[in-house]
Amino acid sequence: QRAGLRSLRAQTHYDDLPRAAWLALDTHSGEIHFYEKAAAERLESAFRNGRQSVPLAGLGKELDGSIVTFARGDDSGKTLETTLKGRQREVQRIPVPAELVEIRV
């Protein structure tokens, strides 16, 4: 893996259909975390259906109890994942064409 590039091959939710990669940025450490398949699919479904927020309950210990709130339209805010303890991570959606195997983050 080269600096600033992330391989998408290991992400099981990428196949021949156009998709979006969902990632979270820890604002304290700067660490980038790609959401696993089930979480990415839930986020994408909620995003496409115009939801304001989506709970991540039942998607693993790290995400259980978290809610992602989407920034919409004229809202100048950011899409955020918030835990029950109030910790926040900035969430990004990156459209991924089917042939793309790496993205620069």
Side-chain angles (χ1 to χ4, degrees), residues 17-22 40-52 54 70 72 93-96:
L17 300 172
R19 303 283 176 118
W22 285 91
E41 288 175 347
R42 188 178 295 179
L43 287 164
E44 186 65 13
S45 176
F47 177 81
R48 288 180 183 252
N49 288 317
R51 303 249 334 245
Q52 293 295 318
V54 62
F70 297 103
R72 294 284 184 185
R93 178 185 183 270
I94 301 172
V96 180

Side-chain angles (χ1 to χ4, degrees), residues 6-8 10-14 19-27 31-44 54-57 59-70 78-83 87-94 96 103 105:
R6 298 289 189 261
S7 173
L8 297 177
Q11 303 297 324
T12 58
H13 56 288
Y14 301 104
R19 303 283 176 118
W22 285 91
L23 57 94
L25 171 66
D26 186 313
T27 55
E31 183 178 329
I32 294 173
H33 165 79
F34 278 93
Y35 287 97
E36 297 292 332
K37 179 181 179 179
E41 288 175 347
R42 188 178 295 179
L43 287 164
E44 186 65 13
V54 62
L56 300 179
L59 296 173
K61 184 179 178 182
E62 182 182 329
L63 298 176
D64 206 29
S66 295
I67 295 177
V68 172
T69 305
F70 297 103
K78 298 176 181 176
T79 297
L80 294 174
E81 174 193 322
T82 306
T83 67
R87 180 185 61 115
Q88 290 188 324
R89 299 194 298 183
E90 184 178 338
V91 176
Q92 294 287 317
R93 178 185 183 270
I94 301 172
V96 180
I103 60 171
V105 291

